[in-house]
Amino acid sequence: MVSAHTDPDYSAAYVVIETDAEDGIKGCGITFTLGKGTEVVVCAVNALAHHVLNKDLKDIVGDFRGFYRQLTSDGQLRWIGPEKGVVHLATAAVLNAVWDLWAKLEGKPVWKLLVDMDPRTLVSCIDFRYITDVLTEEDALEILQKGQVGKKEREKQMLAQGYPAYTTSCAWLGYSDDTLKQLCAQALKDGWTRFKVKVGADLQDDVRRCQIIRDMIGPEKTLMMDANQRWDVPEAVEWMSELAKFKPLWIEEPTSPDDILGHATISKCHNRVIFKQLLQAKALQFLQIDSCRLGSVNENLSVLLMAKKFEIPVCPHAGGVGLCELVQHLIIFDYISVSASLENRMCEYVDHLHEHFKYPVMIQRASYMPPKDPGYSTEMKEESVKKHQYPDGEVWKKLLAAQEN
Amino acid sequence: MVSAHTDPDYSAAYVVIETDAEDGIKGCGITFTLGKGTEVVVCAVNALAHHVLNKDLKDIVGDFRGFYRQLTSDGQLRWIGPEKGVVHLATAAVLNAVWDLWAKLEGKPVWKLLVDMDPRTLVSCIDFRYITDVLTEEDALEILQKGQVGKKEREKQMLAQGYPAYTTSCAWLGYSDDTLKQLCAQALKDGWTRFKVKVGADLQDDVRRCQIIRDMIGPEKTLMMDANQRWDVPEAVEWMSELAKFKPLWIEEPTSPDDILGHATISKCHNRVIFKQLLQAKALQFLQIDSCRLGSVNENLSVLLMAKKFEIPVCPHAGGVGLCELVQHLIIFDYISVSASLENRMCEYVDHLHEHFKYPVMIQRASYMPPKDPGYSTEMKEESVKKHQYPDGEVWKKLLAAQEN
């Protein structure tokens, strides 16, 4: 169940669920890491596997809330989580595979499966444990029922125009100023209007890089910043005051993802309980979801609904391995059936590793075009899996041999 | 790096650090799980091992803050944490082994090593990342310097009387009323005056069990309750109102450990960032530390100091595998050098699995007596390790063979 990667910095646990049906349909699920650690996640996937093995898909999705609870509440495994870190990443990979399988059997992409699902069934996929103080089952139903109004038009609009995206590909830390300028010029040419720059290593360096990019894109286009948890709270305040002159729409992850009270703007979180409090504490102005970190569609549904209740725009985190492929389903569903708004909303895009996926994302005019193939767009090309499998794939054999020399 | 066991519900990742010195001294570290999941933790320990292998202990403890940062901030492994779940448990096991080794080389139990250490060196073991908004290095120094006053007397007092303990051994969920009564009678006979009962499965059942135990111990003795994260916030409020008549000193873990805003009383948390906010939010009236869940002595030091700053009593969580052995060092140090108070303070005790440890805890008159052997009391008996090693130990061979039949 392991698959690894061209770039040794990214790797992924790739879960494939096969069934005994004659249709040969497989459910593929993924969660990725930044390199080391995938072997730990795979180990956790194996610890969860018995929940899926020899089960009937109908029984799983027929009581999807119960199944989610089973995966996340195993009395013994809860200790090494709960619902966080390695165990929750493994949960995401397994559940992503289940959703891929289900959608393929229904002959629909996941976003469309969700859009067509009646509100009661949708709600039955969600575990409300620990969030009923801000979102009850009745609240969720009400939101989804309201979302039915105008749904058809919004679906048409998505199919025609896609969902607005922003690019993070230009401005990673470590790029030279020349590379930054070149990538930014190319992105402008390709029609991008929203850009994210990574900051937080060195303030003077950040100021220079932000100046370059703001000069190139002009005052009107959108600029976001991502500090990747580099700061303490006082440091974040100081640094952010310096960078404010470049008019960022947000500064992402200024500090520890666990620091609800210290949080300022936008955060990638590990579960719905953390998101709930960020909303309660009004510590978020934007909310990022992640289908490889949260418990798949199920847990993301609860977060989308809480965001709607608090009227906070959702702007998914993407990149990594296949995350763009996954989150596009969630955000397109969110627009059609939940938020019904595009104001201040956009989905991250990183042009990276899509070539390994059988149904890669399609970007047109800086927007995600709704996928049409059945499933969750999680299936990788056989060729890619074979080549990058750890430790026996061709790419790894070469890497490991090189290490030995 | 083995797993040990008597009860198949408990297992532990046991880390042994050997050196090339001729003294043959080994550092032993432990973190436990409730059964399944230890294989995942062991996998994470292996992913961290390179930080320790072929390193000089002097270099590690000479820049202990740097070493802690290295372990917890590995650019790639951070993704599968950070500082939570499996990766943080593995960090605890590795660091516990380092502290055991260091203390053995110094010929002192860990509590005494800490008590004798000058404040500057103590502070240099702590990573203040993400907590400087409530505790700076200067704050920590000031607290520790104040703690020098009266230290000698408090050390004498500890050696003579020990640190007050409470027992959780009587009232686990699932015990029959008869067993409960019998264990409680025995505990009273043994001199226990503080008792914890597990609650949260069934309200009527809880009411009956709490009534029995309160009747037996009388109105003066101390009763605590532990709900083990079973409730949502509204449910916790309702349930706790019902149980209030039994006058519990606290109700532990009413809801998700991630729910800072929903928290009421006492919580086992996974890192200093969560503890920081519980203190800031005044969501804690008591604070539980855990040396198998937090990043060993280093991270616990920061939590003890924050608790002192907010004047919140620390009452360590214990039980599991070897946790009593470990946390006694921390709480005895806390009394002598930090809190200087026993008011509303006590350390959990569970009479369970001590027979596997080479230097088991010693309880006298319901108090933890300060350990005198060098080290962190983490070393297991060779015999026990051999017998319970997974999957080749005798105990496991029998269990696995039984499963196959």
Side-chain angles (χ1 to χ4, degrees):
Chain A
M1 294 193 189
V2 202
S3 206
H5 248 278
T6 37
D7 175 345
D9 289 336
Y10 270 103
S11 74
Y14 182 56
V15 174
V16 179
I17 301 180
E18 294 180 347
T19 77
D20 54 5
E22 282 171 15
D23 53 23
I25 291 177
K26 293 177 295 190
C28 303
I30 198 167
T31 195
F32 66 94
T33 78
L34 302 193
K36 277 177 288 181
T38 284
E39 76 282 17
V40 187
V41 177
V42 168
C43 191
V45 166
N46 285 324
L48 292 175
H50 67 101
H51 291 286
V52 181
L53 288 172
N54 304 314
K55 297 282 155 62
D56 194 316
L57 181 71
K58 271 197 210 113
D59 295 337
I60 289 177
V61 302
D63 175 23
F64 218 154
R65 179 186 300 164
F67 181 73
Y68 181 90
R69 183 68 77 96
Q70 230 186 72
L71 274 186
T72 53
S73 304
D74 178 305
Q76 298 186 357
L77 284 178
R78 249 185 98 72
W79 187 259
I80 62 170
E83 300 187 63
K84 60 175 66 76
V86 170
V87 168
H88 214 44
L89 292 171
T91 300
V94 171
L95 284 170
N96 284 338
V98 173
W99 278 95
D100 186 53
L101 183 62
W102 189 15
K104 281 174 175 167
L105 287 172
E106 298 288 331
K108 292 178 183 180
V110 161
W111 70 265
K112 179 70 175 154
L113 177 70
L114 293 171
V115 163
D116 291 349
M117 208 178 274
D118 79 287
R120 272 186 201 283
T121 313
L122 267 171
V123 164
S124 78
C125 300
I126 302 174
D127 187 356
F128 289 88
R129 192 177 196 184
Y130 302 139
I131 59 169
T132 56
D133 50 333
V134 315
L135 187 82
T136 63
E137 204 166 327
E138 295 68 42
D139 295 339
L141 258 182
E142 201 187 314
I143 293 172
L144 287 166
Q145 263 144 6
K146 279 190 192 151
Q148 303 293 305
V149 183
K151 210 170 79 167
K152 283 257 170 299
E153 292 68 39
R154 289 192 296 275
E155 185 174 335
K156 263 189 215 153
Q157 184 196 349
M158 280 291 108
L159 288 167
Q161 300 165 17
Y163 195 93
Y166 70 86
T167 177
T168 311
S169 301
C170 311
W172 297 91
L173 288 175
Y175 281 1
S176 71
D177 291 357
D178 277 350
T179 307
L180 174 65
K181 283 178 198 166
Q182 199 185 324
L183 289 170
C184 190
Q186 184 60 48
L188 283 164
K189 224 197 230 171
D190 293 343
W192 291 96
T193 59
R194 308 171 200 92
F195 300 82
K196 192 163 82 186
V197 50
K198 298 275 183 175
V199 298
D202 177 277
L203 182 54
Q204 287 326 305
D205 191 55
D206 286 348
V207 168
R208 198 189 65 254
R209 293 162 61 251
C210 288
Q211 188 71 62
I212 293 176
I213 196 164
R214 182 46 96 191
D215 286 349
M216 284 188 75
I217 67 176
E220 297 306 322
K221 294 205 172 62
T222 309
L223 183 65
M224 280 83 66
M225 300 176 184
D226 185 354
N228 284 107
Q229 312 166 18
R230 286 175 177 263
W231 302 318
D232 275 36
V233 174
E235 205 182 1
V237 171
E238 194 197 321
W239 209 292
M240 284 157 74
S241 330
E242 273 292 313
L243 297 179
K245 63 182 169 200
F246 303 111
K247 306 217 175 308
L249 177 64
W250 71 57
I251 301 186
E252 193 170 328
E253 292 208 308
T255 189
S256 163
D258 288 333
D259 195 349
I260 285 124
L261 301 175
H263 245 93
T265 47
I266 184 163
S267 179
K268 309 172 190 82
C269 291
H270 61 265
N271 68 32
R272 69 196 175 286
V273 184
I274 297 285
F275 274 122
K276 177 189 79 170
Q277 298 168 85
L278 285 164
L279 291 166
Q280 285 177 301
K282 302 196 197 317
L284 276 185
Q285 281 94 52
F286 298 90
L287 186 154
Q288 285 191 317
I289 53 168
D290 184 328
S291 195
C292 288
R293 191 164 268 284
L294 269 74
S296 189
V297 179
N298 312 68
E299 192 169 26
N300 275 291
L301 285 175
S302 69
V303 176
L304 293 174
L305 289 163
M306 286 193 281
K308 172 67 184 175
K309 187 163 169 188
F310 287 85
E311 290 293 353
I312 297 290
V314 174
C315 299
H317 170 234
V321 187
L323 193 53
C324 300
E325 275 70 17
L326 274 80
V327 289
Q328 61 178 340
H329 291 271
L330 301 176
I331 199 62
I332 290 168
F333 160 74
D334 181 60
Y335 174 64
I336 299 175
S337 300
V338 182
S339 77
S341 164
L342 291 177
E343 203 187 326
N344 264 332
R345 284 163 167 90
M346 52 196 150
C347 183
E348 185 169 19
Y349 176 70
V350 182
D351 191 6
H352 186 49
L353 302 173
H354 304 295
E355 67 276 19
H356 298 296
F357 286 85
K358 209 161 156 184
Y359 312 107
V361 287
M362 207 194 345
I363 297 284
Q364 280 177 11
R365 296 174 305 276
S367 293
Y368 276 94
M369 300 312 292
K372 292 181 177 162
D373 295 292
Y376 203 0
S377 309
T378 32
E379 189 169 345
M380 297 180 92
K381 291 181 185 162
E382 264 182 52
E383 169 78 7
S384 289
V385 173
K386 212 173 134 190
K387 250 172 129 171
H388 300 279
Q389 185 135 3
Y390 179 84
D392 296 323
E394 191 183 301
V395 171
W396 275 105
K397 274 196 176 151
K398 271 190 209 157
L399 274 172
L400 296 170
Q403 264 180 15
E404 274 171 28
N405 296 331
Chain B
M1 289 179 201
V2 279
S3 293
H5 242 279
T6 35
D7 174 345
D9 288 338
Y10 271 102
S11 75
Y14 182 57
V15 174
V16 179
I17 300 179
E18 294 179 346
T19 77
D20 53 7
E22 281 171 16
D23 53 21
I25 290 178
K26 291 178 297 188
C28 303
I30 199 167
T31 194
F32 66 94
T33 77
L34 301 193
K36 277 177 289 181
T38 284
E39 76 282 16
V40 187
V41 177
V42 169
C43 191
V45 167
N46 285 323
L48 292 174
H50 66 101
H51 291 286
V52 181
L53 288 172
N54 303 314
K55 297 283 153 61
D56 194 317
L57 181 72
K58 272 198 211 112
D59 295 336
I60 289 177
V61 303
D63 175 23
F64 218 155
R65 179 186 300 164
F67 182 72
Y68 181 89
R69 183 69 76 93
Q70 230 186 72
L71 274 187
T72 54
S73 303
D74 179 305
Q76 297 187 356
L77 284 178
R78 248 185 99 73
W79 187 259
I80 63 171
E83 299 185 63
K84 59 175 67 75
V86 170
V87 168
H88 214 44
L89 293 170
T91 300
V94 171
L95 284 170
N96 284 338
V98 173
W99 279 95
D100 185 52
L101 183 62
W102 189 15
K104 281 174 175 168
L105 287 173
E106 300 288 331
K108 293 179 183 178
V110 161
W111 69 265
K112 178 72 174 152
L113 177 71
L114 293 171
V115 162
D116 291 348
M117 206 178 275
D118 80 288
R120 274 186 200 284
T121 313
L122 267 172
V123 163
S124 78
C125 299
I126 301 174
D127 187 357
F128 289 88
R129 193 178 196 184
Y130 302 140
I131 58 170
T132 56
D133 50 333
V134 314
L135 187 81
T136 62
E137 205 166 328
E138 294 69 42
D139 295 338
L141 259 181
E142 200 188 314
I143 293 171
L144 287 166
Q145 264 143 6
K146 280 190 192 151
Q148 302 294 304
V149 183
K151 212 170 77 167
K152 284 257 170 299
E153 291 68 39
R154 289 192 295 275
E155 185 173 336
K156 263 188 216 153
Q157 183 195 348
M158 281 292 107
L159 288 167
Q161 300 166 17
Y163 195 93
Y166 70 86
T167 177
T168 311
S169 300
C170 310
W172 297 91
L173 288 175
Y175 281 1
S176 72
D177 291 356
D178 278 350
T179 307
L180 175 65
K181 284 177 200 165
Q182 199 185 322
L183 289 170
C184 191
Q186 184 60 47
L188 283 164
K189 225 198 232 168
D190 294 341
W192 290 97
T193 59
R194 308 171 201 92
F195 301 81
K196 191 163 83 184
V197 51
K198 298 274 183 175
V199 297
D202 177 276
L203 182 54
Q204 286 326 305
D205 190 55
D206 286 349
V207 168
R208 197 188 66 257
R209 294 163 59 252
C210 289
Q211 188 71 61
I212 293 175
I213 195 163
R214 182 47 93 192
D215 286 348
M216 285 188 73
I217 67 177
E220 298 306 322
K221 295 205 172 61
T222 309
L223 183 65
M224 282 83 67
M225 301 177 183
D226 185 354
N228 284 107
Q229 312 166 18
R230 285 173 177 265
W231 302 319
D232 275 37
V233 174
E235 204 181 359
V237 171
E238 194 197 321
W239 210 292
M240 284 156 76
S241 332
E242 274 291 313
L243 297 179
K245 62 182 168 199
F246 303 109
K247 306 218 178 306
L249 177 65
W250 70 57
I251 301 188
E252 191 170 328
E253 292 209 310
T255 190
S256 162
D258 288 333
D259 196 348
I260 285 126
L261 301 176
H263 246 92
T265 48
I266 184 162
S267 179
K268 309 170 190 82
C269 291
H270 60 266
N271 67 32
R272 68 196 176 287
V273 184
I274 298 284
F275 274 122
K276 178 188 78 170
Q277 299 168 82
L278 285 164
L279 291 166
Q280 285 177 302
K282 303 192 197 317
L284 277 185
Q285 281 93 52
F286 297 90
L287 186 154
Q288 284 190 318
I289 53 169
D290 183 328
S291 194
C292 288
R293 190 165 270 284
L294 268 72
S296 190
V297 178
N298 312 66
E299 193 169 25
N300 275 291
L301 285 175
S302 69
V303 176
L304 293 175
L305 290 163
M306 286 193 283
K308 172 65 184 174
K309 185 163 171 186
F310 286 86
E311 289 293 354
I312 297 290
V314 174
C315 299
H317 171 233
V321 186
L323 193 53
C324 299
E325 274 72 17
L326 275 80
V327 290
Q328 61 178 341
H329 291 272
L330 301 176
I331 198 63
I332 290 167
F333 160 74
D334 182 60
Y335 175 64
I336 299 175
S337 300
V338 182
S339 78
S341 165
L342 291 176
E343 202 188 325
N344 265 331
R345 285 162 167 91
M346 52 198 149
C347 182
E348 186 168 17
Y349 175 71
V350 182
D351 190 7
H352 186 48
L353 302 173
H354 304 295
E355 67 276 21
H356 299 296
F357 286 85
K358 210 161 158 182
Y359 313 106
V361 287
M362 208 195 343
I363 297 283
Q364 280 177 12
R365 298 173 305 277
S367 293
Y368 276 94
M369 299 313 291
K372 291 181 177 164
D373 295 292
Y376 204 0
S377 309
T378 32
E379 190 168 344
M380 297 181 93
K381 291 182 186 160
E382 264 182 54
E383 168 79 7
S384 289
V385 172
K386 211 172 134 191
K387 251 174 129 173
H388 300 278
Q389 184 139 2
Y390 179 84
D392 296 325
E394 191 184 301
V395 172
W396 274 105
K397 273 195 178 153
K398 271 190 208 155
L399 273 173
L400 296 170
Q403 264 179 17
E404 272 170 31
N405 299 329

